[in-house]
Amino acid sequence: MANPRKHMVNNQVISNAAKVIQKGGVVAFPTETVYGLGADAFNPMAVARIFEIKERPAFDPLIVHIAEADGLGLLAEIENKELVDKLIEKFWPGPLTIVLPKKSSVPDIVTSGLSTVAVRMPDHLVALELIRESGTPIAAPSANKFGMLSPTLASHVGKQLPHVDFIIDGGKTTVGIESTVITLSGNGFKLLRPGVITVADLEEVLPEIHNMRENRLQSPGQLKSHYSPRIPVYIQGESAIKGDLGNAGYLALSPLQNTGEYQLSLSLSTGNDLREAAVNLFSALHQLEESGVKFIVVEPVPETGIGMAIMDRLRKAAYQYK
Ligand code: AMP
Ligand code: MG
């Protein structure tokens, strides 16, 4: 696995990209989760271009990325500093997004008019240097067309978004799925989106108040259909598979024997490792999408720990093909 603390991107590239951000442009850049499509969070016109390029509906708010914990105070009202400090100390930089009441200086377009803002500090040197050099927090959703597969390679970005002002190629992302999103409540948290930081990880720091998976309305981004390849996805045992398996791709957690009936079979992990599966999830779906298979059948993974985030993404990819 690449070490995100030692990046191979030339400093000149980062400084050129930072100039693009400062001028109101849009830059695709690597983070540890997936590639982001970033603009100056305080420049509403620049942020509007993110929505335009992604064809993202205006009701789906963006995550604002910062490079220093101090930057949080510029964006959010920190009502319970003790809780926030505990989370920051344990999980930042890292794939945890915290939703907090927003400062009025944060443009409404960033938060889709909500009174809250989602913030995180990515654990990726390229992303951190880009934010620092730009001298401003960077609002960034994933660098894909709305609803389609998230990018874990720079080439995935180029494929879906040919009109981005600048793409920084930092190689394959090391976590592979989007951040865990939480909101704070009392002395605990609510889960808005599962990720590789699990409820159990968070519960070591704060008690979980209520699992938002059963109460979906609070986060506009919790759409039922999302993260979809251009071809149908069926989850084995959950959806009625339509079509000839000889034209299909198969995706399993671990290498399986006897998948010869499928046109192409891929596995997400060499063993049974859910973290490795998360890293490879979107690149495997991109590969199947590009391979010419007509549809994809996926073997469900156990819904424990990181498996919960993987199944969240797969169910959204498969939602319209039940
Ligand atoms: P993306 O950056 O494409 O992975 O999407 C960011 C996701 O973060 C959104 O789709 C929402 O689910 C969530 N999010 C961002 N801002 C907020 C907010 N203010 N309140 C609740 N959820 C948010
Ligand atoms: Mg996204």
Side-chain angles (χ1 to χ4, degrees):
M1 198 187 285
N3 180 354
R5 305 216 157 267
K6 279 207 197 87
H7 69 75
M8 308 298 280
V9 177
N10 186 313
N11 287 342
Q12 191 59 48
V13 170
I14 297 181
S15 114
N16 290 344
K19 288 190 188 102
V20 172
I21 296 274
Q22 287 167 346
K23 286 186 187 143
V26 171
V27 172
F29 63 99
T31 77
E32 81 281 33
T33 58
V34 302
Y35 273 73
L37 186 64
D40 176 354
F42 288 118
N43 180 339
M45 291 300 286
V47 173
R49 279 202 57 223
I50 295 179
F51 282 89
E52 200 182 309
I53 293 172
K54 275 193 64 116
E55 297 168 26
R56 184 175 174 110
F59 63 76
D60 196 3
L62 307 183
I63 294 170
V64 181
H65 295 70
I66 56 177
E68 334 280 343
D70 290 353
L72 186 58
L74 288 176
L75 302 163
E77 303 289 351
I78 304 171
E79 284 160 355
N80 196 335
K81 190 166 176 341
E82 213 179 307
L83 292 195
V84 173
D85 283 348
K86 272 192 197 168
L87 289 168
I88 290 179
E89 196 183 318
K90 177 115 195 227
F91 298 110
W92 278 8
L96 177 70
T97 297
I98 309 174
V99 173
L100 294 165
K102 87 173 186 79
K103 284 258 161 80
S104 56
S105 53
V106 177
D108 285 334
I109 187 167
V110 172
T111 64
S112 299
L114 295 175
S115 59
T116 51
V117 61
V119 187
R120 93 174 183 99
M121 188 193 294
D123 188 15
H124 197 294
L125 268 193
V126 173
L128 293 172
E129 285 180 23
L130 177 67
I131 299 162
R132 283 193 195 109
E133 285 234 15
S134 302
T136 182
I138 294 185
S142 50
N144 51 285
K145 285 267 191 219
F146 179 71
M148 313 282 276
L149 291 177
S150 297
T152 55
L153 288 169
S155 61
H156 296 157
V157 181
K159 188 172 82 171
Q160 288 190 30
L161 308 175
H163 303 301
V164 175
D165 297 326
F166 201 106
I167 299 178
I168 305 177
D169 186 348
K172 188 170 173 179
T173 62
T174 52
V175 167
I177 56 173
E178 301 79 0
S179 58
T180 306
V181 181
I182 60 166
T183 182
L184 299 183
S185 175
N187 65 345
F189 70 94
K190 295 177 182 178
L191 182 69
L192 299 180
R193 176 172 73 185
V196 297
I197 292 178
T198 63
V199 168
D201 295 331
L202 289 158
E203 277 176 341
E204 284 178 24
V205 180
L206 310 177
E208 187 187 18
I209 296 297
H210 178 61
N211 188 336
M212 294 309 293
R213 282 192 314 152
E214 278 96 56
N215 179 3
R216 296 183 154 266
L217 287 177
Q218 298 229 349
S219 184
Q222 288 178 322
L223 302 169
K224 290 195 167 121
S225 174
H226 211 70
Y227 312 113
S228 308
R230 289 172 216 275
I231 49 178
V233 175
Y234 300 106
I235 298 176
Q236 237 172 10
E238 294 188 12
S239 19
I241 299 169
K242 297 181 194 76
D244 173 3
L245 297 188
N247 298 324
Y250 186 66
L251 186 60
L253 175 59
S254 297
L256 292 176
Q257 272 121 37
N258 304 326
T259 51
E261 61 190 315
Y262 291 93
Q263 188 175 326
L264 175 63
S265 302
L266 297 178
S267 67
L268 293 171
S269 165
T270 48
N272 239 323
D273 183 345
L274 289 170
R275 184 169 291 271
E276 189 188 0
V279 171
N280 293 324
L281 177 68
F282 284 115
S283 53
L285 288 169
H286 276 283
Q287 196 183 331
L288 288 166
E289 183 185 69
E290 283 159 25
S291 72
V293 298
K294 298 279 185 295
F295 62 97
I296 300 169
V297 177
V298 292
E299 177 198 47
V301 305
E303 249 168 307
T304 52
I306 297 169
M308 188 175 147
I310 295 174
M311 286 311 294
D312 170 73
R313 307 308 188 272
L314 287 174
R315 288 216 177 87
K316 285 177 178 166
Y319 182 75
Q320 49 189 314
Y321 304 107
K322 279 214 151 173

